[in-house]
Amino acid sequence: MTWETLESTCKNCSKCALANGRRNVVIGRGCKTADVLFVGEGPGENEDKQGIPFVGQAGELLDLALASIGYGEGDYYIANVVKCRPPQNRNPEPDECEACLPYLRAQFALIKPKIIVCLGSIAANNMIAKDIRITKARGTWVDKQGTLFMPTYHPAALLRDPSKKADMWEDLKKVYDKLKEIRA
Ligand code: URA
């Protein structure tokens, strides 16, 4: 699949009920040849308005963390498990994730990242294992067929509980160091 096909397929998608309430399909942002793919849950209100992922408060915090650690814009791409906003920002339902995951898999196939960072439990449960608990699994590498997965907190969790910040910074630094190691 090409990016053009993927984008037009997503924009015309009506595979689940989330399509009914969307203003925009939120596909992704960042470098399309990046070594790191960040995966969140689903678009919120600002993302739905702008058609770009992680542009609200949680996204600002993520961008700040990445820039302060040293990530450059060419290092990462950001997408979500579901590409349309769930009403009232509820968690996406399993059938909605199931319907949308082929698009994320297509993004993975196009980008070919070496590392996937799962932001929060919805991403980790859909991409690593159904029973993963973020508080336990965060900061630990999971190797799946040569791709390294790093589960960590969703940045929105840090807005609710700033005491989680140090842990998330540590996880993002671990990913950055691995990126350097892979490239060396
Ligand atoms: N939260 C997410 O999981 N994704 C976004 O794009 C914005 C907020």
Side-chain angles (χ1 to χ4, degrees):
M1 194 184 288
T2 63
W3 278 104
E4 289 72 26
T5 319
L6 175 65
E7 282 163 15
S8 71
T9 310
C10 287
K11 282 177 184 157
N12 292 304
C13 181
S14 56
K15 284 202 287 178
C16 83
L18 296 183
N20 304 329
R22 72 173 175 234
R23 271 179 280 199
N24 282 294
V25 178
V26 179
I27 297 171
R29 70 167 159 101
C31 175
K32 288 176 173 169
T33 55
D35 285 330
V36 186
L37 171 62
F38 287 90
V39 180
E41 186 176 307
E45 188 181 10
N46 292 300
E47 290 76 20
D48 176 55
K49 264 189 202 156
Q50 296 184 42
I52 306 168
F54 283 99
V55 288
Q57 257 192 306
E60 278 172 22
L61 185 58
L62 179 64
D63 285 344
L64 180 74
L66 296 178
S68 75
I69 291 166
Y71 287 81
E73 290 195 351
D75 290 332
Y76 60 93
Y77 186 88
I78 307 181
N80 283 305
V81 171
V82 295
K83 301 199 166 7
C84 298
R85 183 190 180 201
Q88 282 85 46
N89 298 340
R90 65 159 169 75
N91 286 344
E93 299 287 350
D95 64 318
E96 293 160 353
C97 296
E98 214 41 59
C100 212
L101 275 169
Y103 301 138
L104 187 58
R105 291 196 193 102
Q107 286 175 299
F108 171 77
L110 286 163
I111 299 165
K112 303 184 188 70
K114 298 185 171 65
I115 299 171
I116 298 184
V117 180
C118 296
L119 301 168
S121 59
I122 296 287
N125 294 159
N126 279 284
M127 306 203 65
I128 304 174
K130 280 206 175 2
D131 54 355
I132 268 196
R133 304 286 304 243
I134 285 294
T135 38
K136 268 199 159 182
R138 60 145 282 272
T140 316
W141 290 110
V142 180
D143 187 331
K144 287 184 87 176
Q145 295 159 348
T147 304
L148 289 172
F149 288 75
M150 171 61 72
T152 191
Y153 292 120
H154 191 289
L158 272 58
L159 295 171
R160 291 189 295 268
D161 177 5
S163 74
K164 291 190 164 86
K165 266 188 192 177
D167 283 346
M168 189 180 187
W169 249 252
E170 188 184 291
D171 300 347
L172 297 177
K173 176 78 168 62
K174 209 178 259 186
V175 172
Y176 186 69
D177 291 344
K178 179 66 79 180
L179 187 61
K180 289 276 152 82
E181 187 188 312
I182 289 170
R183 286 175 181 167

